[in-house]
């Protein structure tokens, strides 16, 4: 069980009512270790993510959300299930940890999934506070996760179609500087 470690766990979001109730029960049982906030609150989510050391994303399906991108920008190391865009954006041992693929049956909690969460969290906790962990934070924050590179690739592909009248766009000013220029020292 994760709460036996030197951790504090915050769960934010809504879901199945029986699971929300279970989180409330854990909060009562472990008042110094667990907090559950069963609501949708974007500003609070950003504050939690920015202040966390790890962000656990145990998704069964994930086409590619933004939560892991926000977390990495804040220097929060992700612990993710190996599905969808999470596989593409979180690199095992470099910017986070992969738990493997989860059971897609949404009506049950698969004990194998629970075991994968506990095992992977243990691997993450073993790295916490080490030089390797500091490197992971830097790796997370130094990525350029903007659309500039993908937009250039799409432009190149579209221009290669040789449609009459097509021409390259003009280089615009960055809306935000590259992430590498904003790396904080942990």
């Amino acid at each position: 069980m994760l709460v036996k470690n030197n951790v504090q766990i915050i769960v934010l979001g809504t879901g199945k009512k029986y699971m929300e109730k279970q989180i409330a029960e854990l909060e009562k049982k472990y008042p110094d270790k667990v907090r559950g906030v069963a609501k949708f609150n974007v500003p609070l989510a950003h504050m939690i993510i920015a202040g966390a050391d790890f962000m656990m994303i145990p998704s069964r399906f994930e086409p590619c959300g933004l939560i892991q991108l926000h977390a990495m920008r804040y220097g929060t190391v992700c612990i993710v299930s190996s599905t969808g865009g999470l596989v593409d954006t979180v690199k095992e041992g470099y910017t986070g940890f992969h738990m493997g693929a989860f059971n897609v049956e949404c009506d049950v909690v698969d004990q194998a999934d629970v075991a994968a969460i506990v095992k992977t969290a243990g691997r993450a906790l073993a790295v916490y506070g080490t030089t390797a962990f500091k490197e992971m934070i830097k790796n997370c924050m130094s990525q350029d996760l903007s659309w500039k590179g993908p937009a250039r690739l799409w432009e190149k592909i579209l221009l290669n179609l040789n449609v009459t009248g097509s021409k390259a766009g003009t280089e615009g000013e960055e809306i935000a500087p590259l992430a590498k220029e904003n790396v904080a020292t942990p």
Side-chain angles (χ1 to χ4, degrees), residues 48-69:
I48 291 170
I49 295 166
D53 296 309
F54 295 103
M55 175 76 173
M56 187 173 290
I57 309 168
S59 295
R60 295 172 195 238
F61 322 94
E62 183 62 56
C64 191
L66 296 175
I67 193 166
Q68 77 279 10
L69 302 178

Side-chain angles (χ1 to χ4, degrees), residues 121-141:
R123 287 192 304 121
L125 290 172
V127 175
Y128 182 75
T130 66
T131 303
F133 183 69
K134 290 178 183 177
E135 283 299 313
M136 290 179 86
I137 293 170
K138 288 179 185 178
N139 295 340
C140 286
M141 295 178 76

Side-chain angles (χ1 to χ4, degrees), residues 3 18 47 67 103 108 117 120 138 141 152 157 164-165 180:
V3 294
Y18 77 93
M47 287 187 274
I67 193 166
N103 183 342
V108 296
I117 289 170
T120 310
K138 288 179 185 178
M141 295 178 76
R152 280 192 185 132
I157 290 167
T164 305
K180 291 178 183 175

Side-chain angles (χ1 to χ4, degrees), residues 36-105:
V37 182
K39 64 180 178 178
F40 181 77
N41 185 321
V42 174
L44 180 59
H46 279 273
M47 287 187 274
I48 291 170
I49 295 166
D53 296 309
F54 295 103
M55 175 76 173
M56 187 173 290
I57 309 168
S59 295
R60 295 172 195 238
F61 322 94
E62 183 62 56
C64 191
L66 296 175
I67 193 166
Q68 77 279 10
L69 302 178
H70 293 156
M72 290 188 291
R73 184 68 179 106
Y74 290 132
T76 304
V77 176
C78 294
I79 304 169
V80 302
S81 53
S82 304
T83 187
L86 296 172
V87 173
D88 299 327
T89 55
V90 178
K91 307 290 187 269
E92 171 65 39
Y94 188 76
T95 58
F97 299 90
H98 283 260
M99 296 183 270
F102 282 11
N103 183 342
V104 296
E105 293 298 321

Side-chain angles (χ1 to χ4, degrees), residues 26-41:
L26 283 172
E27 186 173 340
K28 288 177 189 169
K29 187 173 181 178
Y30 303 101
D32 295 335
K33 299 266 187 175
V34 178
R35 285 290 178 267
V37 182
K39 64 180 178 178
F40 181 77
N41 185 321

